[in-house]
Every structure is written in C-alpha cells, then in structure tokens.
Amino acid sequence: MSLASCGNAAQVGQTVGATGPHRGPLRIGLLLPENEIVRFESMDKPLIQERVEQLCPRCTVSYSSAQHDPVSQRNQIEAMITNGVDVLILDAVDTKAVRHSVIQARRAGVPVVAYDRLAEGPISGYVSFDGARVGRLQGEGLLKALGPDPKNRQVVMMNGSSTDPNADWFEQGARSVLQGKVKIVKSYETVGWRPENANRNMSAAIAALGPHAIDGVLAANDGLASGVITALKTARIHPLPPVTGQDAELAGIQRIVKGEQYMTVYKPFKPEASTAAEMAIALGHGTSLNGIARQRVNSATARGIPAVLLTPVAVTVHNIRSTVIKDGLYRVDQICTKKYADDCRRAGLIGRNGSSHDAR
C-alpha cells in the first residue's frame, strides 16, 4: 500500500501546479516537536526537505522545532500563518493543546498535514505508522526473548508521554500481546519521552521490586530504552533483562549489537517523509488527496481524515543487515566503530579480519 501510495503521490505532486488554484511556488511550514529524539533532526527534516525540492524545486520550506514546548509550537504556527505559508506539516508536541492553532490555520485557508502524530482539529491529511502494529512487534519481541514459558515472568512497561496519542496506541498494541501471558508489575507514562525520566522511573521500579525481580522491560522507544538500560546497569543487574525499543536509532542498533537491548522497531522514515511532502504539495495546490491516501482515520475532533499508515519492521541482531543496512539507513562502518568491532564480528556484520567491512 505505502509504495503504491507514494508513487501516485509523486505523480500528483508534479502535475497539480498547472490545474490547481495556486500556480506559484508554495511556502511550506514544517513544525517538528523537538530535537532530543535523534530521528527528527537527522531523518525527518532533511528527508521532507529533499522530497519537496524534488517535486517542487521553487517551493520553500520554513522549519521550526518546538523544543518540546507546546506554547512555543503554537506561537510558531501563528507566526508561520502570519508570514503567509500556504500549507503546514505538523508533528504536534501536544495533540490536544495544538487544536486551536489548527483551527486558526483552517480559518486562514492553510491546510495542515498531521505528521507522525494525529493532532486534533480540522486536519487535512495524516501520515504515520500503524502504532498498534508497533506495540505488537515490541510485545512479540519481548515474549520471544523471555522464552517458551513466560507466564510467571515479571515485566515493566516504560510507555511514552501521555500528551502523545501514539504512546497510547503503542501501549494498547503491546498489551494486546502481553496481557495474560506475563505479569505486568509496573507501568509508567514517561513525561516528554525523555530518557532521564525513563531512567528515574526504572530506578523506582528496581527499588520497589528488587534488582532480581525484573525479567523484561517493554520500553516504547530507543531513547527510553537508553534510560532504562542505564538504570539497570547502575543497579549492577547482570545479565541485563531483554529491553525493547523503537525508531532504530544508531545508538539503539549499537546496543542491540552489544547485547544490551534486545530489539527495536524500524519505521522507514523515507516513505513517511515523502508522503508528507507529497500531501503538502497536493493540498497547497488545492488538489484532493484521493490519489495518495487510501485510508481514513478519526481523531477526537474530526472524522474521515485522509491517511496513509505505513508498516513498521522489527529489528534484532539477526536482521540488522537485511533491514537498516540494506535500506541505507546506516552503513556497516557507522554501526561497527572500533568500540563495537568485536560485537559486530560476533553478529556477523564484519569478518574476523574486517574483510570488506573494516570497522573504523
């Protein structure tokens, strides 16, 4: 579905300018929630900009990061509307708090593409990954790591921020797999998706349960996994229990190679970013999204929003080469630095003598 949608979207994006009401170059506003999660600055932003340039060389992209502050994001949206942007791509810090700003954009004739998180208000299009599937992949990975008879194993859930509807989506997916098969002994909402908050939560869980009572941790993304693993190591828990993740961050992949993190969920950012750019260009030119979005989703305030929901992929040490390396997300030498050379040899990413993939 995602590949077909992207192909059709590219065609629409290249032709709408001649027939749509807006014939000049578009001004596109890109609003991302933060830069602490590595993917936003290193993946989403440049990929969206690249796709816009491919489809509409004279179009411009104005970028703002909210630094995880919903008030700043609302001010950024209002400033972009005042400065005359034609369309917005919005990844909301707080999907409820941004509702009034989305309404303001609609009143100003500025369509809004919800990116990665479904903001409330009159959204014109939405692109993300199937969040329930993300959670199920994490739950399935953790069950596999716990062995053939996990019913008496004790699991801590380190969920995302309560202001992010995706966090609830991930948690529901994970619980649909784990419920009744393991004992979920602690469950946390991690304020702001911040690793330091995950670290504090995990330290509290260790203090309450004891260092030998935790058999696995369902961490909702790689940043939270890093905070969890630091807390486990600080408590001198060895061997580390299996810990899940999401986003396939480089540090997360390296922790998987090292054996500190069991798995992550890889969400190929290129099709997500490309689809957002294609939606924005189509909407900016007044063109329907029917050729791009084959699905419809509902938010708390709107129904029937045209949507593209892409498919995530589970990554363990066994399929790093066939996923993130094959797709060009990372090169072997980026993963297998000198620090991880021995681990990479054990994982089969480089040969005994480095072969053609020498670690740097």
Side-chain angles (χ1 to χ4, degrees):
M1 179 203 73
S2 62
L3 293 176
S5 296
C6 287
N8 291 338
Q11 186 176 6
V12 170
Q14 291 169 332
T15 59
V16 290
T19 57
H22 189 120
R23 298 180 185 276
L26 296 172
R27 292 159 295 179
I28 299 170
L30 173 60
L31 298 124
L32 297 180
E34 59 176 290
N35 56 13
E36 286 189 23
I37 296 178
V38 176
R39 55 164 287 196
F40 291 120
E41 293 284 334
S42 64
M43 298 292 175
D44 301 87
K45 175 188 171 186
L47 286 170
I48 289 171
Q49 292 172 325
E50 178 184 358
R51 188 59 173 153
V52 168
E53 186 176 353
Q54 288 173 348
L55 295 177
C56 185
R58 294 178 61 209
C59 291
T60 58
V61 178
S62 300
Y63 168 68
S64 290
S65 170
Q67 304 296 321
H68 220 287
D69 181 357
V71 174
S72 293
Q73 189 165 68
R74 291 199 299 270
N75 292 337
Q76 289 165 356
I77 293 170
E78 291 170 10
M80 286 189 177
I81 294 170
T82 299
N83 290 331
V85 298
D86 300 298
V87 61
L88 293 172
I89 299 172
L90 169 65
D91 191 343
V93 173
D94 185 323
T95 58
K96 294 180 181 179
V98 81
R99 177 184 176 186
H100 180 67
S101 299
V102 175
I103 293 172
Q104 282 184 304
R106 171 62 65 91
R107 288 173 178 165
V110 179
V112 178
V113 176
Y115 183 73
D116 209 55
R117 299 168 182 167
L118 184 54
E120 293 189 6
I123 294 296
S124 298
Y126 172 53
V127 57
S128 188
F129 286 82
D130 183 337
R133 177 67 176 152
V134 170
R136 289 196 299 271
L137 289 174
Q138 292 172 330
E140 290 163 2
L142 189 56
L143 282 181
K144 185 175 181 180
L146 291 174
D149 188 21
K151 62 182 178 182
N152 293 318
R153 299 298 188 95
Q154 298 196 135
V155 168
V156 173
M157 293 192 72
M158 197 64 62
N159 305 303
S161 173
S162 60
T163 62
D164 180 356
N166 283 359
D168 184 56
W169 206 5
F170 303 146
E171 182 181 354
Q172 289 181 23
R175 284 184 180 273
S176 73
V177 173
L178 296 177
Q179 210 77 47
K181 295 181 181 177
V182 297
K183 294 179 179 178
I184 301 173
V185 290
K186 290 285 184 181
S187 182
Y188 298 90
E189 290 180 354
T190 310
V191 175
W193 286 96
R194 296 184 185 276
E196 60 268 28
N197 292 335
N199 181 271
R200 280 193 286 270
N201 291 341
M202 195 66 220
S203 297
I206 294 167
L209 299 168
H212 304 297
I214 299 168
D215 299 304
V217 183
L218 194 297
N221 76 358
D222 291 341
L224 302 191
S226 71
V228 164
I229 290 167
T230 299
L232 293 168
K233 291 166 75 173
T234 300
R236 298 183 180 179
I237 295 174
H238 182 80
L240 292 172
V243 179
T244 69
Q246 179 187 179
D247 290 334
E249 292 183 359
L250 178 58
I253 296 295
Q254 289 172 327
R255 286 193 298 271
I256 291 172
V257 170
K258 191 174 180 62
E260 294 181 341
Q261 183 173 326
Y262 179 72
M263 62 86 70
T264 187
V265 177
Y266 168 43
K267 300 187 298 187
F269 301 121
K270 190 168 186 177
E272 184 182 24
S274 294
T275 302
E278 292 152 3
M279 282 183 167
I281 290 171
L283 289 167
H285 286 121
T287 300
S288 166
L289 295 182
N290 289 341
I292 301 173
R294 310 276 173 79
Q295 296 171 278
R296 296 293 183 271
V297 298
N298 302 326
S299 72
T301 58
R303 301 184 64 81
I305 301 166
V308 174
L309 298 179
L310 302 165
T311 303
V313 179
V315 178
T316 68
V317 70
H318 303 295
N319 68 340
I320 290 173
R321 185 179 292 281
S322 63
T323 54
V324 295
I325 293 174
K326 181 182 177 182
D327 285 2
L329 184 64
Y330 305 120
R331 300 185 311 273
V332 171
D333 65 274
Q334 289 177 301
I335 298 169
C336 300
T337 59
K338 184 176 180 181
K339 178 179 177 181
Y340 297 98
D342 289 341
D343 301 307
C344 281
R345 290 187 184 94
R346 283 192 291 271
L349 294 178
I350 59 176
R352 289 180 180 275
N353 298 316
S355 63
S356 60
H357 301 298
D358 258 329
R360 293 181 185 176

